[in-house]
Amino acid sequence: MKPYILICTEEWAGSGHQMAALSLQQAFQDKAPEANVRVVGGLETVSPILRSLSRIVYYNSLRYTPALWQRIYDNGNSLALILQKPLAVSLSKRLYDKLIRTGPDVVIATHAYCLSALAEAKRKLAKPFRLGCVVTDFHVNRFWVHPAVDFYLVAHEQVADQLVAQFHIDPEKICSFGIPIRPAFMTARLRPNRDWRKQLGLNPDRFTVLLTGGEGKCSNFEPVLARLLRFQTPLQIIAITGKNARLLAQLQKTMEKSRSAVGHAVRILGFEEAIWEWMGAADVIVTKPGGLTCSEALAMGKPLILYQPLPGQEKKNSAFLRACGVAEEAQSIEQIASILGGWQAERERWQSVAERTAKLGRADSAYQAAEEILTKIM
């Protein structure tokens, strides 16, 4: 009997949760082609109205009341109680009727919102499925934790240690394989950046900066690009805006208006499926510290400049990556320019950071997770 794996995600709170789910789906299909692997949006399936409301509240909190969101995140118990009690009970019946009744062998959550509701639905079954969660940041909060969870997939051993020390999770339930990223990164990371630049029609010898991670409503890389265009030493700049059409138009307008771009080579792109190619071409990646984007950059061995981390998980991600010596945080555009100038002038220092980054990267994270889970159900 072929295994049935259900991956529950949320796309409204940033694309990283969905990309982790799709990465796992691909790894499962590569490792066990006979398996039925389905990716679904939790709130999109059971309550589109609540999905829209949650998106509005989340992004407005980040934009207009960041200090409040930081307090909510730091005090995860209050949010966990909401997710584990009233919301879990109200959503679990609809989850059961629309998703769980079909009898999955494993259910994996890549976002915490519906985790407790899935646990409640699991409780109703005579033959419960195995419930897992993928923590998509370099830090874990209380709302990721539930006694019904059978296994946790986490970004690093330090996150595993936190689960054990702070939440008393059995170490046997924790796998420190890294945040799941697409298997293509396993081979992409082996090619030198000069090869990627030649393939993409870029100057193979020019110091190359990639701006990415601009999909969220709170991202604004337009002034960053404007400042880099005034950089004294010629740069090769790649800006990728994903599905953020507004940001793409802004960057294109900045290029049209700029009179100081002489000597710089600039490529402005929207959504790029094969993001590993452009990461491979870069010397440095300037981004928001989302867990998925940073995991991809680590897999490619690229030093990071983390620009204006948002409250909550981004602040925690930035602190972790800086402590590992693979990233610098910039609160201002001038700080970005200063860090870039230092790395460009002192290539030995940049090389040292790049080597630490490559060691920290987990390009095979999705495959390792898929293999571990499949051994438990096949």
Side-chain angles (χ1 to χ4, degrees):
M1 185 174 177
K2 65 180 182 179
Y4 173 26
I5 301 167
L6 181 67
I7 306 175
C8 186
T9 190
E10 303 292 342
E11 92 299 339
W12 54 265
S15 61
H17 303 284
Q18 186 177 43
M19 288 308 304
L22 295 173
S23 299
L24 272 177
Q25 181 185 42
Q26 182 181 345
F28 279 123
Q29 291 172 339
D30 289 348
K31 292 293 181 180
E34 74 280 10
N36 177 15
V37 187
R38 185 181 173 197
V39 174
V40 296
L43 289 184
E44 185 180 28
T45 300
V46 300
S47 181
I49 294 175
L50 183 57
R51 173 201 171 280
S52 297
L53 178 62
S54 298
R55 177 181 175 84
I56 291 169
V57 171
Y58 176 64
Y59 280 110
N60 282 343
S61 297
L62 290 175
R63 180 178 291 183
Y64 301 115
T65 57
L68 175 61
W69 175 251
Q70 185 69 56
R71 287 199 296 273
I72 293 172
Y73 187 87
D74 289 339
N75 183 23
N77 290 335
S78 57
L79 184 55
L81 286 173
I82 295 171
L83 293 177
Q84 290 181 6
K85 294 295 181 183
L87 268 179
V89 173
S90 64
L91 293 178
S92 63
K93 185 180 187 306
R94 279 177 278 182
L95 280 170
Y96 180 85
D97 291 341
K98 294 193 175 186
L99 299 176
I100 305 306
R101 191 187 293 276
T102 54
D105 298 293
V106 178
V107 177
I108 304 169
T110 67
H111 191 281
Y113 203 114
C114 285
L115 179 62
S116 295
L118 291 168
E120 186 72 16
K122 173 186 174 182
R123 187 179 61 82
K124 299 176 182 178
L125 295 174
K127 182 185 176 184
F129 52 81
R130 293 183 62 83
L131 177 60
C133 72
V134 178
V135 181
T136 51
D137 291 294
F138 296 92
H139 174 267
V140 63
N141 208 305
R142 177 69 181 83
F143 42 75
W144 281 104
V145 178
H146 195 286
V149 173
D150 297 296
F151 60 90
Y152 295 84
L153 303 177
V154 300
H156 190 269
E157 287 76 10
Q158 287 188 27
V159 183
D161 293 342
Q162 184 192 357
L163 277 171
V164 174
Q166 187 173 345
F167 303 112
H168 313 294
I169 302 300
D170 182 352
E172 295 297 317
K173 291 185 174 183
I174 308 170
C175 299
S176 306
F177 297 144
I179 299 170
I181 61 175
R182 285 167 288 178
F185 282 91
M186 288 193 296
T187 53
R189 73 194 308 263
L190 302 177
R191 293 184 64 183
N193 56 13
R194 284 178 55 86
D195 287 359
W196 285 119
R197 290 173 194 169
K198 290 178 181 178
Q199 176 177 315
L200 296 169
L202 302 171
N203 185 334
D205 300 313
R206 181 75 62 87
F207 191 82
T208 303
V209 180
L210 171 62
L211 304 179
T212 189
E215 289 198 2
K217 289 186 176 181
C218 298
S219 299
N220 183 12
F221 280 99
E222 186 274 330
V224 178
L225 176 61
R227 176 61 182 88
L228 293 184
L229 293 177
R230 300 196 307 271
F231 215 70
Q232 290 186 346
T233 307
L235 294 171
Q236 187 158 241
I237 304 167
I238 307 163
I240 296 180
T241 64
K243 297 177 182 178
N244 190 333
R246 179 184 59 83
L247 180 58
L248 177 63
Q250 286 179 342
L251 297 186
Q252 290 171 336
K253 187 176 293 186
T254 297
M255 277 299 301
E256 292 171 3
K257 290 182 178 180
S258 178
R259 298 179 179 178
S260 55
V262 177
H264 298 290
V266 183
R267 189 81 66 90
I268 299 174
L269 306 164
F271 176 74
E272 289 291 325
E273 179 70 32
I275 187 67
W276 53 84
E277 296 180 351
W278 301 96
M279 286 187 168
D283 292 299
V284 176
I285 297 177
V286 181
T287 187
K288 304 289 287 183
L292 202 288
T293 297
C294 289
S295 294
E296 293 174 341
L298 295 178
M300 297 300 291
K302 304 301 177 177
L304 289 156
I305 298 177
L306 305 175
Y307 181 50
Q308 295 182 345
L310 293 170
Q313 59 271 29
E314 286 196 5
K315 285 281 190 183
K316 296 291 187 180
N317 289 343
S318 178
F320 172 84
L321 295 168
R322 285 184 288 119
C324 291
V326 300
E328 297 279 355
E329 182 177 308
Q331 286 297 333
S332 71
I333 297 169
E334 289 306 318
Q335 280 183 295
I336 293 177
S338 176
I339 296 165
L340 280 175
W343 280 347
Q344 193 177 22
E346 302 176 47
R347 294 305 292 265
E348 296 82 4
R349 186 158 65 93
W350 169 85
Q351 184 63 40
S352 177
V353 178
E355 289 171 359
R356 288 195 296 272
T357 305
K359 289 179 182 178
L360 191 62
R362 309 279 177 90
D364 61 345
S365 53
Y367 273 179
Q368 283 208 54
E371 288 175 354
E372 177 70 18
I373 295 165
L374 287 169
T375 59
K376 298 181 184 300
I377 62 173
M378 294 184 71

